[in-house]
Amino acid sequence: MRESRRAHLTGAEPVPARDPHRGAARGPDRHPRERTSADQDTRDGRPGARVAGVDPLLVKHAVAAPSAGELAADVRAGRTDPLTLVEQALTRLEACDVDVHAFVHVDASAALAVARNPPDGPLRGVPVAVKDLFDVAGQITRAGSLVPAGPAATEDGAAVARLRAAGAVVLGRTRTHEYAWGLTTQHLKLGGTRNPWDTGRVPGGSSGGSAAAVAAGIVPLALGTDTGASIRLPAAWCGLVGHKPTFGAVPLAGCTPLAPSLDHGGALVRTVADARLWLSVLGDVRLEARAPVAGLRAGVARALDTTPDVGVLFEQAVERASSCGIGVRDVALPPADRLVEVYLGVQAGEALAWHRASGRWPAHADAYGPDVRSFLEAADRADPDRLAAAQSLREQLRARITDLFGDVDVLFLPVAGCGPPTTAAPTRSALGPLRDAVLPLTVLANLCGLPACAVPVGVDIDGLPVGLQVLGPPGADSRVLDVAERLQVQLPWG
């Protein structure tokens, strides 16, 4: 376990100065002509945004807020209506997004127009948000970057279209780490999203804006993507359920890729029941009826590099699983350094190929943020055979994991070995320690296309959420959700 990790993640680099009259960060924190919640003062007229420290109002609202399924049920029963739900969401957004900066674009007039007569479906009238990688018709998908992005999308991405067909109302696009290539959702020039549990901390990434939108109680469901941790990490650090199903279960047509063979579509929600709901709407998988978890076998890797408080919460959650009749047994996973080496080889090779093919790299190298630019420069210098070698090792890894799932039904792992760093910490010097705290625990699911669901299991010594992830073999989406849902019931918190 690591006592010194937190010290490595509290480096000093000033955040953008704040305008005392607006509460928003100075400088190019958003793209021109795109209205965000930071364009307006908060509802009660307070002149500035809160900064570091746990915000009890944001947290209290988020924990108590209804789920997507509950809101949809209220609409069906006539207890509320879609227009009311969307108006409430916009009011909440205006009040608190000045603090968390979850959204990069909000189209309130379009959302209100749709809310007057949304399609019938399982999400009718439910306000949702989508990560700024998914195409939204009539809007420019900027992928969190200043690199020229091309014209506005002519149609919704496949996942967004399915959300709309189910009756959901899209409020806007949420902030992503640039091209989804990072764990913090911070950008040197565009600013970053803040964690609603402590606005001096990052929310995780790369789907940090989606996580903050749900955690702040603005929407109950937000689309994200997960290439190495990008749904599960912000879910863990924002006290949410983060779900990525089996590789290929969610269509990613009309979604900017990071590394296509690792990219998974998914969602950030408050309950595992909502994870079932969104997957039934968006996914190309058939979910089975809920089944008992007693008698299932869970594998647990014990020699994990975590801070003491994360380790204790993880072991307590495993004990609760055992009390539900889940058999727990120790397993040996591939060495962490080997996992990360293979993952980074595949990711860098595929990302470089896409940025070259799209004409972005190296033509617009100066427009990239320094971290993503450094990743692409390193990939450019890498041995051309690196990707082929990494893919070969990946196949060996998949075979080993297939054998492992012959002995266990699910795996339990922490989502991160530490809590979220401060918004000042994610400098280039802090990227290594942060990566080492997360990727050894998360990339297995992406390399092998495994379904994974992160659930909150408690709070650490700083009062910040900690998450556990349930992984299963490809295609075992129902089983993963069964176990995750049982854990969420057994581990009430907040």
Side-chain angles (χ1 to χ4, degrees):
M1 292 190 180
R2 224 167 20 262
E3 297 278 6
S4 60
R5 171 166 287 155
R6 200 177 305 278
H8 282 288
L9 300 178
T10 55
E13 183 169 293
V15 296
R18 290 188 171 275
D19 184 328
H21 301 294
R22 307 293 289 181
R26 295 184 192 269
D29 189 55
R30 58 190 187 276
H31 293 285
R33 296 180 300 282
E34 291 195 343
R35 177 192 176 277
T36 76
S37 60
D39 289 323
Q40 298 188 20
D41 295 328
T42 51
R43 291 184 68 218
D44 59 5
R46 288 174 295 171
R50 292 176 293 273
V51 289
V54 174
D55 183 336
L57 294 178
L58 288 181
V59 172
K60 181 179 179 181
H61 188 286
V63 171
S67 68
E70 290 168 339
L71 292 179
D74 285 346
V75 170
R76 288 192 297 271
R79 291 186 291 268
T80 189
D81 61 84
L83 186 59
T84 296
L85 293 183
V86 171
E87 288 174 338
Q88 289 173 343
L90 290 170
T91 297
R92 178 69 181 167
L93 187 154
E94 183 180 340
C96 68
D97 202 45
V98 67
D99 292 340
V100 298
H101 305 295
F103 286 83
V104 294
H105 181 83
V106 176
D107 192 339
S109 59
L112 290 167
V114 171
R116 290 182 172 87
N117 188 27
D120 287 330
L123 291 172
R124 185 171 189 268
V126 175
V128 301
V130 301
K131 185 178 183 179
D132 186 28
L133 294 182
F134 293 92
D135 286 349
V136 176
Q139 299 179 18
I140 298 174
T141 306
R142 300 189 185 275
S145 182
L146 288 171
V147 174
T154 58
E155 60 184 8
D156 289 335
V160 177
R162 290 187 183 185
L163 271 181
R164 290 196 201 270
V169 180
V170 176
L171 254 59
R173 300 197 317 278
T174 56
R175 192 181 300 271
T176 175
H177 202 109
E178 185 175 19
Y179 289 110
W181 206 343
L183 299 172
T184 62
T185 316
Q186 308 296 304
H187 190 285
L188 188 62
K189 293 183 178 180
L190 293 175
T193 299
R194 294 171 179 265
N195 192 320
W197 282 75
D198 181 341
T199 51
R201 306 269 187 159
V202 305
S206 63
S207 305
S210 287
V214 177
I218 299 170
V219 294
L221 186 158
L223 284 187
T225 61
D226 190 311
T227 305
S230 291
I231 288 172
R232 291 161 289 155
L233 180 64
W237 282 351
C238 292
L240 303 173
V241 171
H243 178 223
K244 79 162 199 65
T246 297
F247 179 76
V250 175
L252 291 179
C255 180
T256 302
L258 172 51
S261 78
L262 300 169
D263 294 342
H264 295 63
L268 293 115
V269 289
R270 295 195 183 97
T271 67
V272 180
D274 273 0
R276 288 182 185 278
L277 177 59
W278 86 260
L279 187 57
S280 70
V281 168
L282 269 75
D284 292 324
V285 296
R286 180 180 176 275
L287 286 176
E288 301 168 2
R290 288 177 173 85
V293 300
L296 293 179
R297 304 161 298 170
V300 178
R302 300 286 184 181
L304 301 174
D305 191 13
T306 70
T307 56
D309 42 346
V310 170
V312 168
L313 288 167
F314 176 71
E315 291 296 339
Q316 289 175 349
V318 170
E319 290 175 7
R320 284 295 189 95
S322 180
S323 72
C324 298
I326 297 175
V328 176
R329 60 182 65 183
D330 292 354
V331 296
L333 296 179
D337 56 350
R338 176 57 61 90
L339 274 176
V340 174
E341 176 187 4
V342 173
Y343 170 79
L344 292 178
V346 174
Q347 181 205 47
E350 292 187 2
L352 177 63
W354 183 84
H355 281 265
R356 281 176 170 168
S358 69
R360 289 167 168 81
W361 181 267
H364 300 286
D366 290 344
Y368 286 87
D371 55 346
V372 175
R373 183 169 63 247
S374 71
F375 299 153
L376 287 166
E377 288 170 345
D380 246 343
R381 295 191 301 267
D383 185 337
D385 295 330
R386 183 187 182 197
L387 177 58
Q391 293 286 19
S392 177
L393 291 171
R394 182 184 188 182
E395 291 307 313
Q396 297 175 30
L397 174 64
R398 283 173 166 166
R400 180 170 175 179
I401 297 305
T402 298
D403 291 342
L404 175 62
F405 278 117
D407 296 326
V408 299
D409 300 301
V410 294
L411 291 174
F412 292 156
L413 287 170
V415 177
C418 66
T422 68
T423 53
T427 60
R428 290 181 64 178
S429 62
L431 290 176
L434 181 57
R435 182 195 70 186
D436 294 344
V438 177
L439 296 189
L441 300 170
T442 58
V443 299
L444 177 67
N446 300 84
L447 286 167
C448 299
L450 311 178
C453 187
V455 294
V457 297
V459 295
D460 66 13
I461 193 171
D462 295 322
L464 300 172
V466 172
L468 172 149
Q469 55 182 324
V470 182
L471 286 67
D477 296 89
S478 295
R479 184 193 309 163
V480 165
L481 292 175
D482 286 340
V483 174
E485 192 163 29
R486 185 63 176 168
L487 283 174
Q488 190 173 33
V489 170
Q490 287 291 310
L491 296 162
W493 73 294

